[in-house]
Amino acid sequence: MTAPAVAPAAEKSTTLSMGKALNTGLRRAMDDDPKVIIMGEDVGKLGGVFRITDGLQKDFGEDRVIDTPLAESGIVGTAIGLALRGYRPVCEIQFDGFVYPAYDQIVSQVAKFHYRSQGQVRLPIVIRIPFGGGIGAVEHHSESPEAYFSHTAGLKVVSCANPNDAYWMIQQAIASDDPIIFMEPKRRYWEKGPVDTDGQPYPLHSARVIRPGTDATIVAYGPMVRTALDAATAAEDDGRSLEVIDLRSLSPLDLGSVYDSVRRTGRLVVVHEAPSNLGMGAEIAARVTERCFYSLESPVLRVTGFDVPYPAARVEEEYLPDLDRVLDAVDRSFGW
């Protein structure tokens, strides 16, 4: 299956929530290829706990949208067998914290099969994971496990941050012959934005400058992109122009646009929900320091979740990076 190719014809833009954009993208992928199968807990009759797969079982049947037992290891293990038989399984992990029972299957089998077979076997599996906090959930429902998978050779990891990317990136991930961990920022499922269904999709593993600026660079992905944009808007009141870059792909990392930006601005703040210790921000900071050392006017700073278990819902807003913490990091950057 080749990646979705769309002629750059007249735009056909519509306003969708991110959840609906994902649903529409999944529907199009299933229309385009009968080998695409969706499987997971409550993805069929219920349409998923976030209704991302709503209506798909009704339209495509129980053989293609499969309600599985509550067994994440079994879901991913079954997907491996289906991929070996020529299917393109799309697994839904109901919540981020539920992925760990499947971790062995993902890192020991899914990630290794292509290498183990000396390139003869590919596993075109997409594993969808709603991740991050901000929805007032209980324990195991607000994790940010992206660094585990980004660290694993043989996996690709991406995260959408707006409805248009959600619509296109899920189709591109399904069309890929490589296994992809697809991180969905669950707190943004209900946010609406324009979706150009007839446009040209941006390359799946490319970062994107979504707000140009001249004074400092903010890098984010997934749920924190909106926070970074809000911070850039607020910084205008202080006369500061912040450039915002959406990473989109966490493995492989596309940092070319980040290097170019930092060489112009001299300052970088990396924002993500996951804890700072050995997180994505640490890798980005190391690479930028190696490549842009003589352009930096201050150390690379990180705004992240804290190095503690994800807290109870009533205090999660104290844990999550917010506009004030991002602006404080920008102020500290200018203090050097």
Side-chain angles (χ1 to χ4, degrees), residues 7-86:
E11 291 187 0
K12 183 181 178 182
S13 182
T14 186
T15 299
L16 299 174
S17 67
M18 180 181 288
K20 185 61 176 177
L22 286 164
N23 178 277
T24 306
L26 287 167
R27 179 179 295 277
R28 181 167 176 178
M30 296 186 77
D31 276 332
D32 289 346
D33 187 347
K35 292 292 188 179
V36 175
I37 292 177
I38 294 175
M39 53 196 299
E41 298 160 7
D42 298 320
V43 299
K45 290 180 173 61
L46 182 65
V49 293
F50 296 106
R51 304 300 186 266
I52 304 303
T53 55
D54 188 38
L56 297 182
Q57 189 182 77
K58 174 178 175 292
D59 294 339
F60 293 97
E62 295 182 2
D63 289 340
R64 294 190 64 196
V65 182
I66 303 167
D67 281 316
T68 68
L70 306 184
E72 286 76 15
S73 181
I75 293 169
V76 176
T78 302
I80 294 169
L82 286 166
L84 290 171
R85 297 292 292 177

Side-chain angles (χ1 to χ4, degrees), residues 67-109:
D67 281 316
T68 68
L70 306 184
E72 286 76 15
S73 181
I75 293 169
V76 176
T78 302
I80 294 169
L82 286 166
L84 290 171
R85 297 292 292 177
Y87 291 92
R88 290 181 176 269
V90 181
C91 304
E92 178 180 298
I93 303 298
Q94 195 171 73
F95 282 93
D96 34 47
F98 299 175
V99 75
Y100 301 114
Y103 188 74
D104 178 47
Q105 291 279 17
I106 295 171
V107 302
S108 299
Q109 307 300 333

Side-chain angles (χ1 to χ4, degrees), residues 213-225:
T214 57
D215 297 331
T217 304
I218 303 180
V219 168
Y221 58 86
M224 286 291 103
V225 171

Side-chain angles (χ1 to χ4, degrees), residues 133-281:
I135 64 167
V138 297
E139 189 180 15
H140 307 309
H141 290 65
S142 301
E143 307 293 322
S144 296
E146 60 270 20
Y148 293 116
F149 301 112
S150 299
H151 181 73
T152 303
L155 297 177
K156 293 184 176 180
V157 184
V158 300
S159 181
C160 54
N162 60 72
N164 193 65
D165 268 355
Y167 172 77
W168 285 113
M169 288 173 71
I170 190 63
Q171 294 180 70
Q172 291 170 303
I174 293 170
S176 173
D177 286 331
D178 297 313
I180 294 183
I181 308 296
F182 196 91
M183 310 295 295
E184 301 171 4
K186 69 171 84 75
R187 69 191 291 196
R188 307 301 182 192
Y189 275 152
W190 300 273
E191 295 183 5
K192 294 184 177 181
V195 176
D196 181 8
T197 58
D198 276 351
Q200 181 67 41
Y202 202 70
L204 179 61
H205 297 292
S206 295
R208 193 171 195 173
V209 177
I210 55 175
R211 178 176 176 134
T214 57
D215 297 331
T217 304
I218 303 180
V219 168
Y221 58 86
M224 286 291 103
V225 171
R226 169 51 53 194
T227 304
L229 287 170
D230 290 344
T233 299
E236 285 185 325
D237 295 337
D238 295 328
R240 286 176 177 161
S241 172
L242 305 184
E243 182 151 292
V244 179
I245 299 177
D246 179 3
L247 281 180
R248 303 175 75 252
S249 178
L250 306 183
S251 180
L253 273 172
D254 173 35
L255 295 182
S257 58
V258 178
Y259 300 148
D260 291 342
S261 180
V262 170
R263 288 179 181 125
R264 287 186 290 101
T265 67
R267 293 176 170 84
L268 174 63
V269 175
V270 185
V271 187
H272 57 69
E273 279 191 26
S276 62
N277 187 42
L278 299 178
M280 296 301 303

